[in-house]
Amino acid sequence: MSFSEVLSVYARVILEFLFELYVFCVLVTRKLERSRLFWLRAFGGLAVVAGLAFGVAWFYALFGFTVWGRVLVYIVLFLVVCLHLRLCFEESFSVILFCGSLAYAAQNLTYKLFLFLWGMGEQARLYDNWNDLFELYYRLIYYGFFVLAAAAAYFLFIRPLISRLPNRQLNFRMLTISVVVLAVTVLLCSVEDIFFSFLSDFREGRFEEFTYFVLWQTGNLFSVVCCGVVLLLISRTLEQSDLQREVDYLQYAIRQSKQQYEISKDTIELINVKCHDIKYKINELLARHANISEDAVSDLNESISIYDTKVETGNELLDVLLTEKSLYCEQNGITFSCMAHGEKLSFLESGDLYCLFGNIVDNALEAVKALPEREKRIVNLVVKTKNDLLIVQEDNYFGGEISFRDGLPVTTKADSDYHGFGTRSIRMIARKYGGELTTSVTGDIFHLNIIFSIEKAENRQIK
């Protein structure tokens, strides 16, 4: 094997593969946390990878026409690229391997899809008149297709995933399946490339026997499907990770709600006792000192009465929660209106009830507190029954604009990973008891409605 032949393999096969893989690696790793001296690591690592790739080119030239030689070449290149990514980013190797698998799947899908389409043209003899310009036209068409396919893969598959990649506790089983599917794809592609290279006439994708063409195209489609399965597995793994994270958060919020209820209950009872004591002492002072003006005593009683207010709904837990929220409203100039048949909420577990109404009221208070117009700082909460239905309604003014996704308002906070759980938690609890949440906007008023079937909820409780 001459040096010029090795150099040709290095340029046409190895570097071309690495270039395509690195394009997708750049797209996939955009959101990952970079290491210190990132650019030095990136370009220094590229130089090392290029040097190692030249050695791989020698190996390819000697053993590339055997199945295991071809498989070993691409596995080594894939692992070298993953090690380079690990050097450049402050992420676990599982995340890096995940990103590398996603990049390789996208690269192989793009390449095999091109071969499938190109083969259709070869079979139709569309390129027979290109003669000496065949290589130039082939490269122009291929790289044009690659740019379009890479852009399509980014917007369709990669961009929805990469924002959820950093700092994830990835599902090891799914990660293993993805890597195994990729490994099988590499093996089958290597067998296919070597086998059909001996059957093609004088260039790839050109067959005199139509049966060989069908088999070759079937192999290409199989590779596309395998890579599509890997992309789907990766997407499902991240969705599962997000769902598990939401469930864990909800369970944590419910546990915290139970603790908060006990604290709030004791605090409000203590406040009520102290208020009664203070009122008693004020009346005692008034009896002893007639020179104290009635207006001063009235103002003092009015100030104390704010903390002596207790919301009564027929549900002790809801009473504690709403009393606590009403105290907050008094302190922040918010009008809190509540008409609730709390006794109808007995089918809700205590933690779920506290978490449900805590999130409903907290979201409303956060919205109205920011309003400059004091007359719009109003929160209305209604819990009522109608036939067999229990209806929870909450209305409040809001500022700015609200956008919706999947029927829920999208958080306006910058860190959406750690905010926006409130309404999702409300919906999860509602559905747990067979209910359904709807949200809507009329002008500058936000509406939240939950409808439960009392019979279904109570039957669930019995079970």
Side-chain angles (χ1 to χ4, degrees):
M1 182 66 67
S2 67
F3 180 79
S4 61
E5 290 175 322
V6 173
L7 198 60
S8 176
V9 169
Y10 180 65
R12 292 187 304 104
V13 179
I14 305 301
L15 288 186
E16 186 174 273
F17 169 76
L18 286 174
F19 170 77
E20 295 170 6
L21 185 58
Y22 268 109
V23 167
F24 284 106
C25 284
V26 170
L27 295 177
V28 168
T29 58
R30 286 182 57 247
K31 299 291 185 177
L32 298 187
E33 182 181 354
R34 295 178 177 180
S35 299
R36 188 172 60 90
L37 303 176
F38 170 78
W39 293 110
L40 178 62
R41 292 169 182 255
F43 288 110
L46 278 176
V48 173
V49 170
L52 292 174
F54 190 75
V56 173
W58 277 98
F59 183 88
Y60 187 98
L62 294 173
F63 304 103
F65 289 98
T66 66
V67 172
W68 292 108
R70 186 73 63 90
V71 169
L72 189 59
V73 163
Y74 287 109
I75 288 179
V76 168
L77 291 177
F78 173 75
L79 292 177
V80 167
V81 171
C82 286
L83 290 173
H84 184 206
L85 294 178
R86 181 67 183 86
L87 180 70
C88 295
F89 296 97
E90 293 290 341
E91 301 289 347
S92 66
F93 192 74
S94 61
V95 171
I96 295 300
L97 189 60
F98 214 66
C99 291
S101 299
L102 176 58
Y104 185 84
Q107 183 274 334
N108 199 58
L109 186 149
T110 299
Y111 177 66
K112 289 298 182 179
L113 186 59
F114 171 79
L115 287 184
F116 178 82
L117 297 175
W118 179 265
M120 301 296 288
E122 279 285 15
Q123 186 65 21
R125 303 296 189 262
L126 298 179
Y127 322 126
D128 288 354
N129 296 326
W130 288 3
N131 301 321
D132 295 339
L133 295 176
F134 177 84
E135 186 68 21
L136 174 62
Y137 289 159
Y138 175 85
R139 292 295 166 187
L140 289 176
I141 292 174
Y142 175 67
Y143 285 116
F145 177 85
F146 177 78
V147 170
L148 294 176
Y154 175 74
F155 287 106
L156 292 176
F157 299 108
I158 297 175
R159 189 171 70 168
L161 298 178
I162 58 175
S163 62
R164 297 180 291 176
L165 275 173
N167 301 319
R168 288 291 186 270
Q169 297 297 320
L170 299 176
N171 185 305
F172 181 77
R173 183 177 63 180
M174 284 295 190
L175 175 61
T176 302
I177 292 174
S178 299
V179 173
V180 168
V181 171
L182 277 181
V184 171
T185 304
V186 171
L187 176 61
L188 294 178
C189 288
S190 298
V191 172
E192 174 195 339
D193 291 344
I194 293 171
F195 178 73
F196 285 105
S197 65
F198 293 109
L199 297 177
S200 59
D201 288 349
F202 58 93
R203 62 183 180 231
E204 187 176 29
R206 181 73 172 265
F207 304 93
E208 289 298 331
E209 293 287 340
F210 184 72
T211 303
Y212 296 154
F213 170 75
V214 172
L215 290 173
W216 183 69
Q217 290 290 64
T218 302
N220 289 330
L221 277 179
F222 178 78
S223 297
V224 170
V225 171
C226 285
C227 292
V229 168
V230 171
L231 293 175
L232 181 61
L233 284 173
I234 291 175
S235 176
R236 294 295 298 171
T237 298
L238 292 177
E239 288 178 6
Q240 186 181 50
S241 176
D242 283 345
L243 288 174
Q244 185 60 49
R245 182 165 162 262
E246 289 192 20
V247 170
D248 291 342
Y249 176 86
L250 179 58
Q251 292 174 343
Y252 171 79
I254 291 174
R255 289 195 301 269
Q256 291 296 104
S257 295
K258 291 180 179 178
Q259 297 176 7
Q260 182 62 38
Y261 164 66
E262 297 298 332
I263 295 172
S264 299
K265 179 181 177 183
D266 293 340
T267 302
I268 290 174
E269 288 179 353
L270 180 61
I271 290 174
N272 287 334
V273 170
K274 293 297 182 182
C275 285
H276 284 295
D277 289 344
I278 292 173
K279 283 185 175 182
Y280 175 79
K281 291 179 180 180
I282 289 174
N283 292 329
E284 184 180 1
L285 286 173
L286 182 60
R288 292 182 180 181
H289 303 279
N291 58 339
I292 300 178
S293 68
E294 292 185 5
D295 291 339
V297 174
S298 177
D299 291 340
L300 189 56
N301 278 324
E302 184 178 350
S303 299
I304 295 172
S305 65
I306 292 175
Y307 302 96
D308 194 28
T309 301
K310 182 178 181 181
V311 178
E312 295 184 354
T313 65
N315 184 294
E316 182 181 6
L317 189 149
L318 190 60
D319 293 347
V320 171
L321 172 65
L322 298 183
T323 299
E324 182 183 31
K325 301 305 179 185
S326 66
L327 292 176
Y328 176 88
C329 292
E330 289 286 351
Q331 293 171 346
N332 291 274
I334 299 172
T335 301
F336 181 59
S337 172
C338 175
M339 294 179 61
H341 296 285
E343 70 278 1
K344 300 295 184 179
L345 297 168
S346 59
F347 62 87
L348 289 169
E349 297 176 10
S350 59
D352 291 336
L353 191 152
Y354 201 95
C355 188
L356 176 68
F357 283 91
N359 276 313
I360 292 174
V361 178
D362 284 344
N363 289 345
L365 295 181
E366 185 175 2
V368 299
K369 184 180 177 181
L371 296 175
E373 305 95 334
R374 192 177 182 87
E375 65 275 10
K376 288 188 176 182
R377 296 180 187 175
I378 302 173
V379 175
N380 292 320
L381 177 66
V382 176
V383 179
K384 62 183 180 181
T385 57
K386 185 175 182 180
N387 299 326
D388 182 47
L389 300 178
L390 175 70
I391 303 171
V392 179
Q393 296 177 334
E394 187 278 318
D395 307 289
N396 62 268
Y397 287 96
F398 68 94
E401 296 182 358
I402 295 180
S403 57
F404 290 83
R405 182 185 303 150
D406 192 25
L408 299 179
V410 179
T411 178
T412 57
K413 297 182 179 180
D415 190 356
S416 59
D417 280 343
Y418 294 96
H419 293 102
F421 279 113
T423 50
R424 281 180 282 175
S425 298
I426 294 169
R427 182 167 65 182
M428 289 175 72
I429 294 174
R431 289 179 175 177
K432 177 180 176 181
Y433 294 89
E436 191 56 54
L437 165 71
T438 59
T439 57
S440 60
V441 168
T442 304
D444 58 352
I445 301 177
F446 174 80
H447 307 283
L448 179 147
N449 294 277
I450 304 174
I451 299 179
F452 295 101
S453 170
I454 299 176
E455 183 179 355
K456 290 182 180 179
E458 289 178 345
N459 288 339
R460 177 199 173 280
Q461 190 179 31
I462 294 173
K463 292 178 182 181

